[in-house]
Amino acid sequence: MRHTRCVGFGASLLLLLTFAALAAPPAPNGTPKPQENGAPRPAPAENAAALSKEDAAALAAEVSPIVEDIRGAKFAHPVPVEIVDDQAARAHFKSRLEEHWPEQDRRAEETVDTQLGLIPPKTDLQEEVFDVLEEQAGGYYDPDRDTFFVLGDMPRAAAPIIVAHELTHALDDQRFGIDRLLAEAQDDDDRSGALEAVVEGSGTVVMTVFIHRQIVAGKLDPKSLLAFQESEVGKAERLKASPLFVQRSLIAPYILGMAFLLRGELIRIQTGGITPSDLDHAFTDPPRSTEQILHPEKYWDPAKRDLPRGVALPDLAADLGPGWARKGEGNLGELTLGLLTGVDPGDATSPDRALERWTNAASSGWGGDRWNLYRNGEKAVTVLATSWDTEKDAREFEAGLTLPPGTTVRRKGETVVVIAGDAGDRAKKLADRAIAGVKVTKPATR
C-alpha cells in the first residue's frame, strides 16, 4: 500500500506518546521515574500556546547535536524549519500522493483491497489517510525541499520529540537520499513498505533514545506526555475509527521498523544498545520485503536470509471474455496477507509483543505474491497468486484464509491462488488456469 510511503515522512503524536512510555526509565514501583533535578512540568498554558518559527528553529538547533550523537553521523548542513497549519500540511500530503500514487493505481488498489475483504466497500483510501494525518501529524520532513515542517498547533510537550524524529529523517536523507531509494523500489509495493519501515524505524529509534535521555536528564517530564494522551488528539478517535488495514499501514512502519532495526530486541532502547552501523546498513542494503521486517533474522542473519521470489500470473482477460482487460497489478507481502488470515494486533499502537501482533503461522513462510485486477465496465475481478516456502506453509495459508463469500481458492503444492470479485461461474475455471500458469522464480543470491 503506497499511501504512507508517498505523503512524506511524519511524526504521529499518538506514536510519540507510545514510545515515550517505552523509553521512560521505570521507578521501583513500576511508575514513570520523576524528573531528577526538579525541573518544573510544562504548564497547561505553555502546552496550549502556538509554536512559532523562532521556537521551532531554536529547538532544531538544540536537538540537532543530540540527534547526531545518537545517530552516529553529522548533518551535511543545517535543516531549514518552517511552520505550517493543517491546511498547508494536507496540501503537501495531497501533492506527494498525486506524484507518487496516481489515481488509476489508487483506484485499482481500492478495488483489490475491497474484493479481498481488507477494507469496506466504497472506502476512499485517500480521504481515510488524510483524515488520520490531519488528526495525528505533528510535523513532517519533505525530502523534495530538504525542509522540516512543524504544525503550529503542536503541543509544546511533544515538540522536542517530534523535532528529534524529523531531524533524523533529514540526516538520513542527506546521507542516503530517501526519495532515490523509494524510486528504486516503486514497482514493488512490499519492498517499498519494507523501505518505509527502515525510514520511520530510524526516526523512531533515535527519537525513543532521545526521550530516554531527556527523562533521565530531567529535561522531560513523562507526566506531561501522559496528560496529553487524554487530550482530543491523544485519544486518536479518527485513527481508531479507520479500517484496521489503514491503521496497520500507518502504524506498522514506526513499531515494526524500530523492532527490525533493533534486531527484534526492544530492550536495547533502555540499555543503550542502539547500533548506528545497523541503521546505516539497512539504508545501504535495504530489506526486500515486509517478511524481513517481521522476522528480523531473515535479514540480519546471513544463514537465514530470505529474499522474495518472483511471482508472475498469466493474462486471463481472454478467459474472462469480451470486454475484459487487465487494469492493475501489484503485490501484498506478509504484512498485508496476515489480515487475510485473521491476524488481530489488538492495540496496534502498543510496542510490547511488537512482532507477534502483526503475523501468524498462516501468513509466515511467505515466498512471494502477485495480484492482477481485471475490469469490464463496472465489473472487476481480482486474481491473487501466492508462493510459499514449503507445501506445509501453503496449506496453513489456505486453511487460515478468511475471505468474503463467493471467493474461490485453489492450492497446488507451494502455490495458492485466490479469485475474488465478479467472476461468477467462471471463477473455478479462472482459478485452474491461473494456478496452472503461475511462474515462480527463485531470488538471485547476493
Side-chain angles (χ1 to χ4, degrees):
M1 196 171 179
R2 280 180 270 178
H3 59 255
T4 58
R5 298 186 283 282
C6 62
V7 295
F9 305 98
S12 162
L13 294 171
L14 176 64
L15 287 167
L16 299 189
L17 299 176
T18 297
F19 289 104
L22 177 67
N29 64 358
T31 59
K33 185 177 180 181
Q35 291 177 286
E36 296 178 354
N37 65 355
R41 193 181 350 161
E46 180 185 356
N47 281 323
L51 197 70
S52 69
K53 181 176 179 178
E54 290 73 21
D55 294 333
L59 266 177
E62 178 184 348
V63 172
S64 288
I66 304 175
V67 168
E68 289 179 327
D69 182 60
I70 297 171
R71 188 62 182 82
K74 296 289 187 181
F75 286 97
H77 55 79
V79 181
V81 181
E82 298 288 344
I83 298 292
V84 294
D85 58 18
D86 290 342
Q87 184 176 1
R90 192 179 183 102
H92 160 78
F93 297 145
K94 183 177 181 180
S95 174
R96 291 275 299 182
L97 184 141
E98 290 174 347
E99 177 184 356
H100 295 277
W101 198 22
E103 182 176 1
Q104 179 178 337
D105 294 346
R106 186 167 73 251
R107 296 306 180 194
E109 291 187 32
E110 287 174 348
T111 300
V112 170
D113 296 340
T114 300
Q115 293 189 335
L116 293 176
L118 292 168
I119 58 176
K122 299 182 179 180
T123 298
D124 187 323
L125 287 176
Q126 174 177 295
E127 292 306 309
E128 288 284 350
V129 172
F130 285 171
D131 284 348
V132 174
L133 289 173
E134 193 169 56
E135 173 191 65
Q136 287 293 309
Y140 58 89
Y141 171 73
D142 184 357
D144 289 333
R145 299 171 62 182
D146 189 19
T147 300
F148 166 34
F149 293 87
V150 183
L151 275 294
D153 57 357
M154 175 177 54
R156 288 296 185 96
I161 306 171
I162 289 177
V163 169
H165 185 103
E166 298 307 318
L167 286 179
T168 304
H169 289 331
L171 181 56
D172 289 337
D173 187 45
Q174 288 181 8
R175 301 180 67 219
F176 303 108
I178 291 175
D179 268 359
R180 176 187 59 80
L181 293 173
L182 284 174
E184 292 174 356
Q186 66 180 353
D187 294 330
D188 186 331
D189 294 342
D190 190 49
R191 180 180 174 186
S192 297
L195 178 59
E196 185 198 10
V198 171
V199 173
E200 291 297 356
S202 177
T204 305
V205 165
V206 172
M207 175 197 78
T208 309
V209 173
F210 172 82
I211 294 170
H212 183 79
R213 288 189 182 184
Q214 293 296 97
I215 292 174
V216 169
K219 296 180 179 180
L220 178 65
D221 182 2
K223 291 181 181 179
S224 63
L225 297 176
L226 294 174
F228 174 64
Q229 281 185 308
E230 299 304 315
S231 71
E232 182 178 351
V233 175
K235 292 177 181 177
E237 293 180 356
R238 293 185 188 178
L239 175 64
K240 293 174 181 177
S242 64
L244 182 59
F245 176 52
V246 174
Q247 293 181 40
R248 283 165 59 96
S249 297
L250 290 170
I251 292 172
Y254 299 86
I255 292 178
L256 298 181
M258 182 173 80
F260 167 78
L261 291 172
L262 295 176
R263 302 192 179 209
E265 301 171 1
L266 292 177
I267 191 62
R268 292 170 63 182
I269 284 292
Q270 292 191 1
T271 61
I274 176 176
T275 308
S277 60
D278 279 356
L279 275 63
D280 291 347
H281 181 74
F283 276 100
T284 56
D285 182 18
R288 296 301 181 94
S289 67
T290 56
E291 178 188 46
Q292 291 185 313
I293 300 297
L294 288 161
H295 307 276
E297 72 280 2
K298 293 187 177 184
Y299 174 84
W300 295 107
D301 186 342
K304 297 180 180 179
R305 188 147 192 174
D306 191 356
L307 297 177
R309 302 173 181 178
V311 178
L313 276 160
D315 190 342
L316 302 177
D319 297 88
L320 280 162
W324 286 91
R326 186 165 55 188
K327 294 295 184 179
E329 60 181 329
N331 62 0
L332 299 178
E334 182 178 339
L335 180 60
T336 299
L337 289 174
L339 280 176
L340 301 184
T341 58
V343 166
D344 182 1
D347 179 5
T349 65
S350 175
D352 70 303
R353 293 175 53 237
L355 301 182
E356 292 92 331
R357 291 182 182 275
W358 299 85
T359 190
N360 59 13
S363 54
S364 297
W366 175 89
D369 70 78
R370 197 73 184 168
W371 59 258
N372 284 348
L373 176 70
Y374 296 88
R375 289 193 185 278
N376 183 358
E378 294 299 314
K379 294 183 177 181
V381 170
T382 295
V383 181
L384 169 67
T386 61
S387 178
W388 299 86
D389 291 344
T390 67
E391 185 171 334
K392 177 177 180 291
D393 293 321
R395 289 182 182 275
E396 289 176 343
F397 176 69
E398 180 187 25
L401 282 169
T402 56
L403 296 166
T407 305
T408 298
V409 179
R410 285 281 188 277
R411 184 191 62 79
K412 181 180 179 182
E414 300 172 355
T415 302
V416 178
V417 164
V418 174
I419 308 294
D422 303 316
D425 57 9
R426 288 166 293 193
K428 293 181 180 180
K429 178 183 177 182
L430 287 172
D432 292 339
R433 278 273 294 117
I435 206 160
V438 169
K439 296 188 180 301
V440 177
T441 56
K442 294 184 178 181
T445 57
R446 18 165 218 173

